[in-house]
Amino acid sequence: MWHAARHGTGAELVDPTTASVAPAWDAIERMLEVASSALEAAGDRARVASFAERVRASGTGADRQRAALAEGLPALAALLRDSFAG
């Protein structure tokens, strides 16, 4: 979990479906495929797919924090303030 939080979905991670190192999105797609029928049965497939696509398009919270920090501490502080205010 630390590795995923630190490096985000643009990195590689251990794919739990194959026990090998893979690009994060490849592993995520395989996990969604494996869980698809259970997600469908629970009525959550569309919700999880939507969330995954949103993360793919806009990045994770860690991605947004790193981008804000690259602009300087005031930008990071504003992002965090806005995140907690909402």
Side-chain angles (χ1 to χ4, degrees):
M1 288 188 329
W2 176 86
H3 183 81
R6 172 105 169 107
H7 300 286
T9 56
E12 292 186 328
L13 50 79
V14 175
D15 181 338
T17 67
T18 64
S20 61
V21 175
W25 279 110
D26 290 353
I28 291 166
E29 288 170 357
R30 277 192 289 276
M31 286 187 290
L32 290 174
E33 192 174 303
V34 168
S36 181
S37 60
L39 290 169
E40 188 69 42
D44 291 329
R45 187 169 181 245
R47 181 182 310 172
V48 171
S50 174
F51 175 76
E53 287 308 312
R54 188 172 11 140
V55 170
R56 186 188 291 263
S58 64
T60 65
D63 294 328
R64 291 186 294 277
Q65 289 176 35
R66 282 192 295 274
L69 182 58
E71 295 177 26
L73 285 176
L76 176 60
L79 173 69
L80 295 174
R81 184 176 51 252
D82 293 347
S83 295
F84 289 110

